[in-house]
Amino acid sequence: MSNPSPLSNESIAPSNPETERDRGRLRRSVKRPAQFLSFWGAIALPFVHLPLLMQGLGDPHVTLAFLALLAINVLALYLGHGYNQ
């Protein structure tokens, strides 16, 4: 003999198809510009690496900046890889 759950499923509203459609439209409207910026950022960021490499990575601040830019570049490559396919 099981006790009924204290939470009822009646409080959970069924998903509205219009809301799902709006979310999909919003997702598409944000995805395209984000891919565009990531794609072109991944192309441009290596040019920012060059002055840091020419200066040398002996200074810890320069090394940290280089590694941060490298991580951002990898993230931009991942986010922008599907642009314009």
Side-chain angles (χ1 to χ4, degrees):
M1 300 198 170
S2 65
N3 292 333
S5 172
L7 300 174
S8 84
N9 288 338
E10 295 170 6
S11 64
I12 300 173
S15 63
N16 186 353
E18 290 180 16
T19 305
E20 293 297 323
R21 189 172 43 238
D22 290 342
R23 286 183 190 158
R25 189 177 306 135
L26 177 64
R27 188 175 297 129
R28 283 189 303 275
S29 69
V30 170
K31 182 180 177 183
R32 183 84 172 147
Q35 277 188 328
F36 171 81
L37 291 173
S38 297
F39 175 81
W40 288 107
I43 290 173
L45 275 173
F47 294 106
V48 178
H49 295 309
L50 291 176
L52 292 174
L53 289 174
M54 290 174 62
Q55 181 180 352
L57 298 178
D59 183 17
H61 295 289
V62 175
T63 304
L64 182 63
F66 177 78
L67 292 175
L69 283 172
L70 188 63
I72 292 168
N73 198 3
V74 169
L75 180 65
L77 282 169
Y78 176 73
L79 293 175
H81 79 277
Y83 174 69
N84 210 15
Q85 286 186 355

